[in-house]
Amino acid sequence: MSIGRRLEALLLGPVGLLLVATIVVPAGVLLAYSVYRYNGLTPESAFQLGNYQQVFSEGTYGTFAVNTLLIAVPTTIVSVAGGYLISYWLVYRAGATRNVVLALVVISMMASYLVRIYAWRTLMGEQGVVNSLLETVGVIDEPLGFLIFSRFAAVVAEVNYLLPFTALVAYASLANVAPELREAARDLGAGGWQSVRRVVLPLTGPAVLAASVLTFFLSCADYITPVLVGGTDATTFGTVISDQLRSTGNLPLGAALSFTMVAGYCIVALLFRGGMRATKVLPKEPDDAAS
Amino acid sequence: MPPDARNHQISRRRFLGVAGAGLATLGAGNVLAACGGDSSSSTTATTVGGPLNVYTWEGYDLTKQNAAWRKAQGIEQKNLGFISIQDDVVTKLKSAAGGNIDISSANNSYAKLLYDAGLTSPVTVEEVPGLADMFGYFANTPLFKVEDGTYNAVPWTWGFVSVTGREGVPEIVDYHELLDPKLKGRVTTVDDAYNNITMSAIINEINPDTMTKAQLDGPVTEWLVKFKAQAKTLSASIGDQVNLLASGEVDYTLIGLYLIDVLAKDKGAVTKTYLPKQGGLGFCDAAIIPKDAPNRANAIAFASRLLEGKPAAAANESIYGATTAKSVVPLISPPVREMYPYSDVDGFIAGNLTFNAPYARESDGDKATYDDTIAAWERVKAS
Amino acid sequence: MRRPSGLGVVVTLLVLFLYLPLAVAVLFAFNAGSNLSWPPEGLSIRWFSTILRDDEFLNAFAFSAKVATITALMAGVIGLAAAFAFARRRSWAVRLVEALSRLPVMLPPLFIGVALLVAMTAIDYVPDTSSVIAGHLVYVIPYVLVVVTAALRGIDLELEQAARDLGAGPLQTLRRITLPMVGPAVLGAALLAFAFSFDEVLITNFTVGTDPTLPLYVFSKLRRTVDPSINAVATILLCVPWVILGVAALFLRRSVLIRRRSSIVPTTFEGDR
């Protein structure tokens, strides 16, 4: 069925309108606010970069950014590694159980995010499941303090809900390249790590990149988990943005912080891509994958 | 010149902070906050009866307690959602939605702020007789009083913020004890600039109303930095604090209140809120009537019932709050009544509590401004 | 049956890890005591009865279901429409919209929620059901678009050509050939949208009006008191995706089977040989 111009406009219209109205325009408004002045009650129309200056000159925001990274980077690494392993198993080793495990993975994603966080307190608290178990067995004498209200806890909690995302992204990609891979692996007469590194990873490079970037973004953006289980050193950038906008009401500063965060995202995404290209996980050109 | 400072005097309801704009109420119909409001018969400013649009904290709406009275008066109350943070009121009153509200809530700093900004109308003793029945402090404080016989709001419940400790831990006599190395990892506080900064000022015997920037950046922030190093975590809400205390993860919270004791009891845990030697941070919630309230007479009638009668007593009881009106005191059941020194309210307040005014928005010499306090707290969090 | 591999063990552990907090959460839903401290104080279903009698919970559940249904329906319809354009035409407009549609995934939900709230404040638009739906729609639409576009691209155009050759008009072709083939994918995507919308909290936190969604109800309940009633809510909610995914899996499977049968070049699925 061919699509003429008018039909195309009709088809694209709703989605286009939605995106413009809910992303483009609000982002534009937010950008405008980021250069406004805040007078204590409402933003005042102005063009001044004072908010951005504040973001970059106040040492506190740098600390919050570092806190965010200290949680997001480990989370991303562990999630992507774990997700890749799961998807690899699903594609090559699962056999008949594939759909069941896949369903299990996906369903776990849909359990209540908030209730899960509080469950971590029960699990990792001083008198929680883990500590009680370890003490009963005799491995430790004193409860382990770092399990909860620490960056470790924030990472564990975030990995727990991000793992299914990465697994699914990796699965979608791995499932598509599987046939060629089998040929390649058989022809090479090799199995194991070499074939994974030389063949599988580059072929699924884009997926790994996508999964890594997605996980990193989601982890940075999580402003609820670090607050509830992260302890006192886990104030993240997202929390600060949320504070400025919800509690303080300082829209200009909150907006400036938000855009700074998105800019940071772009930089990180580019770095990721460069890093993956350098380690040959991601081929330089799309053609490399086929050769 | 109206001080348009923004303040974060937090009443206990701030902690209850319902996320979003509030919960749908039970059977109170759906919300319509936008323009176009209720087109059913409205009243003149003098006759009671007809609609009453309420926008206040959950539990302050007295929907159940006043049911019979409303029926008798022919008032139909509609709860336009619940407040989640005090700032919501400012936003709503300034927006188009504000034109529909008949009665709302503000605490001891916001009341004056909103009045001076011309958003609320004054209330006289003739309209609300209970105002003449208030304890001395509330009757005379410039935070509520405009001039003799006229107030900018109807203050009806008060309380204080101070330390709360869980069962079995010793009561501290001095807040500085919370910095003891023995208590490392055993304390918490809420993640909130205003309460922590103001408490720290009080603890360090600095008057928050006259605190200078040097004092703020100096002793006030330094104390908080030391406290944060002791803290296990910064709580997100009052429920969170209760959870931490009840589960034994922490022993004390810096920003505690009687309501924590109530909620802990529901969970089978025991906590105790009390006043160490530096005292506590007082808060007082008041009913405010927006300037263009369409049903002012109903609002006045509603407000009057906050300072007299059983419903007012019941409302205070449910939150372990204190009443500002003398006549309500005997109507409060003994356990809650005994929590407050009604025999000498003024003396108690003078000796123990600080109800402070908003932090200045514009810098006035070397006084600490509102923005300074926010920045200071962020520095504490980053330390 | 393949011999158990080291990888299999690792994956099993990972899946167990995924369910660890859920197991605790469900366990405590039956806690007789009223807090979440370990160990539980006996078994009881009182929290379930508390929740099911709580009007606020029921209202929030109904509201979430309503929002999720509308979101899913709208996402399905406008997603399908746009997917047609994505799959069949490569004009600049298509490329632009396609690029835009990738944005919501790249932006933090916090940013999306905040931007929406700020924009609404700027035009004095009072948040209500429509703003909640809008926030959810923009969050799910990229996923719907990807799934449906892929499905559409997988449909062999030769089939449609054949139908046209046999005398069917464009609308007939659409109705009889194309839509049935892409239907399962659309349904699957819509169900996915439903599930995402139902659990969304980061954006909704900012766009909500006066009726809370279920996750927000849990959020606000947690602020007042942390007790097993929220666990009861979570347990009830855990049943919902099973139903949805069961239906989705059924439809997506059929979609794959239909594609396989209809494709002129045989395709294999994950090397099942």
Side-chain angles (χ1 to χ4, degrees):
Chain A
M1 159 178 124
S2 67
I3 296 186
R5 273 243 157 99
R6 279 172 52 187
L7 184 59
E8 175 194 59
L10 191 67
L11 292 175
L12 288 178
V15 167
L17 203 66
L18 172 75
L19 291 169
V20 166
T22 56
I23 299 265
V24 177
V25 168
V29 172
L30 203 63
L31 188 65
Y33 270 122
S34 72
V35 295
Y36 278 16
R37 192 193 333 256
Y38 180 64
N39 70 0
L41 271 181
T42 46
E44 271 173 0
S45 175
F47 186 88
Q48 51 101 18
L49 297 172
N51 298 309
Y52 287 100
Q53 263 181 330
Q54 198 180 342
V55 172
F56 286 101
S57 62
E58 287 249 8
T60 51
Y61 297 116
T63 313
F64 297 142
V66 169
N67 282 349
T68 313
L69 289 174
L70 285 173
I71 295 176
V73 171
T75 301
T76 306
I77 295 174
V78 176
S79 298
V80 174
Y84 202 82
L85 287 173
I86 291 180
S87 61
Y88 192 94
W89 183 84
L90 278 172
V91 172
Y92 296 116
R93 306 282 175 86
T97 53
R98 179 189 302 125
N99 285 335
V100 173
V101 176
L102 194 56
L104 276 177
V105 169
V106 172
I107 298 257
S108 74
M109 215 163 61
M110 297 178 184
S112 170
Y113 165 77
L114 290 163
V115 177
R116 252 200 288 209
I117 299 181
Y118 272 94
W120 284 113
R121 287 198 181 178
T122 311
L123 273 167
M124 311 282 235
E126 285 196 355
Q127 282 121 29
V129 179
V130 173
N131 274 320
S132 303
L133 200 67
L134 291 175
E135 278 182 17
T136 321
V137 172
V139 174
I140 54 173
D141 296 318
E142 296 259 330
L144 297 171
F146 70 88
L147 289 179
I148 195 75
F149 303 124
S150 61
R151 289 199 202 111
F152 173 79
V155 170
V156 169
E158 288 189 9
V159 167
N160 186 269
Y161 88 88
L162 289 174
L163 196 56
F165 276 104
T166 56
L168 285 177
V169 173
Y171 175 72
S173 166
L174 266 179
N176 281 331
V177 301
E180 295 102 281
L181 175 62
R182 291 216 154 175
E183 296 294 328
R186 268 192 229 139
D187 290 351
L188 288 171
W193 179 236
Q194 279 292 346
S195 79
V196 170
R197 195 174 178 288
R198 292 292 184 82
V199 183
V200 180
L201 277 183
L203 281 173
T204 54
V208 175
L209 174 66
S212 306
V213 169
L214 180 69
T215 312
F216 183 80
F217 285 3
L218 287 172
S219 169
C220 280
D222 190 347
Y223 60 91
I224 294 180
T225 305
V227 168
L228 290 173
V229 298
T232 54
D233 291 323
T235 306
T236 62
F237 220 75
T239 318
V240 175
I241 295 177
S242 173
D243 281 346
Q244 289 292 355
L245 289 154
R246 298 283 294 160
S247 314
T248 315
N250 188 342
L251 291 184
L253 184 60
L257 285 167
S258 302
F259 272 99
T260 310
M261 189 175 181
V262 173
Y265 270 21
C266 294
I267 295 176
V268 167
L270 290 171
L271 283 174
F272 256 114
R273 215 158 66 140
M276 290 180 83
R277 287 224 175 114
T279 55
K280 298 264 173 54
V281 177
L282 186 69
K284 277 211 168 30
E285 298 293 332
D287 299 322
D288 282 10
S291 59
Chain B
M1 156 128 160
D4 49 352
R6 188 140 227 215
N7 178 287
H8 264 275
Q9 163 67 321
I10 310 293
S11 75
R12 73 188 76 77
R13 294 305 172 168
R14 182 343 181 189
F15 300 138
L16 293 181
V18 179
L23 301 177
T25 73
L26 303 173
N30 270 329
V31 171
L32 59 114
C35 310
D38 195 337
S39 57
S40 58
S41 62
S42 68
T43 58
T44 65
T46 47
T47 58
V48 171
L52 172 65
N53 299 322
V54 175
Y55 180 63
T56 187
W57 301 99
E58 203 181 346
Y60 284 23
D61 52 301
L62 303 185
T63 306
K64 293 200 196 97
Q65 292 95 331
N66 278 334
W69 168 76
R70 281 199 307 274
K71 200 146 175 274
Q73 299 287 321
I75 293 179
E76 297 139 34
Q77 179 170 328
K78 198 176 263 181
N79 290 342
L80 307 181
F82 291 126
I83 302 175
S84 52
I85 42 176
Q86 184 68 77
D87 300 323
D88 280 354
V89 178
V90 182
T91 318
K92 266 239 160 53
L93 287 184
K94 286 165 68 69
S95 75
N100 286 314
I101 302 175
D102 291 317
I103 194 158
S104 185
S105 179
N107 54 39
N108 49 296
S109 36
Y110 277 97
K112 186 158 167 38
L113 177 73
L114 291 170
Y115 180 75
D116 289 340
L119 293 170
T120 57
S121 60
V123 183
T124 64
V125 173
E126 285 81 37
E127 293 173 304
V128 178
L131 286 169
D133 183 39
M134 293 196 296
F135 291 104
Y137 176 78
F138 302 103
N140 297 310
T141 175
L143 293 174
F144 292 119
K145 184 168 164 182
V146 176
E147 59 190 20
D148 280 337
T150 309
Y151 293 86
N152 59 31
V154 179
W156 65 280
T157 182
W158 61 280
F160 57 82
V161 158
S162 65
V163 68
T164 302
R166 69 177 178 92
E167 188 179 26
V169 302
E171 281 188 22
I172 61 169
V173 168
D174 182 326
Y175 284 102
H176 291 295
E177 289 177 52
L178 293 173
L179 298 180
D180 190 325
K182 279 201 320 284
L183 290 176
K184 189 161 165 64
R186 306 295 313 165
V187 298
T188 184
T189 182
V190 282
D191 183 357
D192 175 275
Y194 177 84
N195 279 285
N196 286 296
I197 297 284
T198 315
M199 260 309 235
S200 179
I202 292 172
I203 289 169
N204 290 291
E205 280 149 47
I206 296 170
N207 182 348
D209 288 345
T210 58
M211 180 170 65
T212 64
K213 194 161 184 332
Q215 286 173 317
L216 170 66
D217 293 339
V220 173
T221 301
E222 278 158 22
W223 195 91
L224 285 172
V225 168
K226 286 192 214 138
F227 182 84
K228 185 201 163 237
Q230 295 276 87
K232 178 167 268 190
T233 184
L234 300 176
S235 296
S237 65
I238 198 177
D240 213 36
Q241 285 173 293
V242 176
N243 174 248
L244 290 169
L245 286 165
S247 64
E249 290 281 345
V250 300
D251 295 330
Y252 302 96
T253 175
L254 178 67
I255 306 293
L257 54 166
Y258 281 145
L259 189 55
I260 292 183
D261 299 341
V262 177
L263 295 173
K265 199 157 69 129
D266 287 341
K267 298 161 69 64
V270 176
T271 63
K272 192 160 191 304
T273 307
Y274 50 91
L275 289 167
K277 87 171 200 234
Q278 291 97 335
L281 176 60
F283 58 81
C284 176
D285 285 323
I288 52 169
I289 301 180
K291 211 171 190 106
D292 301 315
N295 304 294
R296 193 164 190 280
N298 294 341
I300 294 286
F302 182 96
S304 299
R305 289 177 64 79
L306 292 171
L307 292 176
E308 59 197 27
K310 205 67 182 85
N316 275 303
E317 257 179 62
S318 64
I319 51 181
Y320 281 20
T323 176
T324 54
K326 298 180 192 142
S327 68
V328 177
V329 175
L331 300 173
I332 297 180
S333 65
V336 179
R337 197 190 323 147
E338 271 144 38
M339 293 170 97
Y340 294 93
Y342 286 112
S343 53
D344 181 18
V345 169
D346 297 335
F348 172 72
I349 291 177
N352 291 289
L353 302 186
T354 307
F355 288 87
N356 70 317
Y359 290 113
R361 194 267 306 171
E362 278 152 359
S363 72
D364 173 24
D366 51 358
K367 252 181 80 171
T369 65
Y370 170 75
D371 284 335
D372 292 334
T373 61
I374 299 293
W377 179 241
E378 281 184 345
R379 248 176 282 132
V380 172
K381 285 210 287 188
S383 66
Chain C
M1 185 67 200
R2 296 183 164 85
R3 58 170 157 66
S5 60
L7 184 60
V9 172
V10 171
V11 170
T12 311
L13 287 175
L14 284 173
V15 174
L16 282 176
F17 168 70
L18 279 182
Y19 277 88
L20 195 57
L22 299 185
V24 170
V26 171
L27 176 66
F28 272 84
F30 296 97
N31 187 13
S34 58
N35 54 38
L36 299 180
S37 309
W38 181 261
E41 296 166 40
L43 296 176
S44 152
I45 57 165
R46 68 162 162 139
W47 299 110
F48 286 94
S49 74
T50 308
I51 282 295
L52 291 170
R53 271 179 305 167
D54 184 356
D55 281 338
E56 285 168 19
F57 167 75
L58 296 170
N59 287 335
F61 192 98
F63 185 68
S64 269
K66 181 169 97 164
V67 166
T69 307
I70 297 177
T71 303
L73 281 172
M74 286 182 71
V77 169
I78 70 175
L80 178 61
F84 264 114
F86 287 3
R88 303 287 169 90
R89 196 172 149 93
R90 297 308 303 172
S91 67
W92 65 268
V94 163
R95 279 202 297 267
L96 177 67
V97 177
E98 200 164 8
L100 274 180
S101 73
R102 293 207 222 287
L103 274 182
V105 176
M106 297 191 323
L107 296 171
L110 173 69
F111 182 89
I112 297 177
V114 158
L116 275 172
L117 179 64
V118 166
M120 284 193 287
T121 312
I123 58 174
D124 255 341
Y125 187 94
V126 180
D128 57 14
T129 308
S130 64
S131 57
V132 175
I133 293 175
H136 287 192
L137 256 182
V138 75
Y139 173 62
V140 304
I141 205 75
Y143 300 98
V144 171
L145 284 171
V146 163
V147 170
V148 178
T149 311
L152 269 174
R153 288 202 174 117
I155 290 180
D156 204 323
L157 287 171
E158 305 228 3
L159 274 172
E160 293 187 358
Q161 194 55 47
R164 299 292 291 277
D165 288 345
L166 288 171
L171 271 173
Q172 261 192 316
T173 317
L174 190 68
R175 210 162 54 84
R176 294 291 188 86
I177 308 287
T178 324
L179 283 184
M181 282 169 62
V182 81
V186 174
L187 199 59
L191 286 168
L192 198 71
F194 184 94
F196 276 178
S197 162
F198 208 86
D199 197 42
E200 210 293 314
V201 68
L202 295 179
I203 299 177
T204 322
N205 198 14
F206 292 96
T207 57
V208 68
T210 46
D211 294 306
T213 58
L214 193 54
L216 279 182
Y217 162 79
V218 171
F219 198 27
S220 64
K221 216 170 188 323
L222 282 174
R223 296 178 101 131
R224 272 178 294 172
T225 171
V226 179
D227 66 28
S229 61
I230 54 159
N231 296 58
V233 172
T235 311
I236 294 175
L237 287 182
L238 268 178
C239 303
V240 174
W242 282 106
V243 173
I244 294 175
L245 263 149
V247 181
L250 209 65
F251 277 105
L252 281 172
R253 240 225 184 123
R254 268 184 51 200
S255 156
V256 167
L257 286 171
I258 289 173
R259 268 194 285 158
R260 278 180 71 181
R261 268 192 245 118
S262 70
S263 174
I264 289 177
V265 175
T267 54
T268 53
F269 188 59
E270 297 167 24
D272 287 336
R273 286 196 268 233

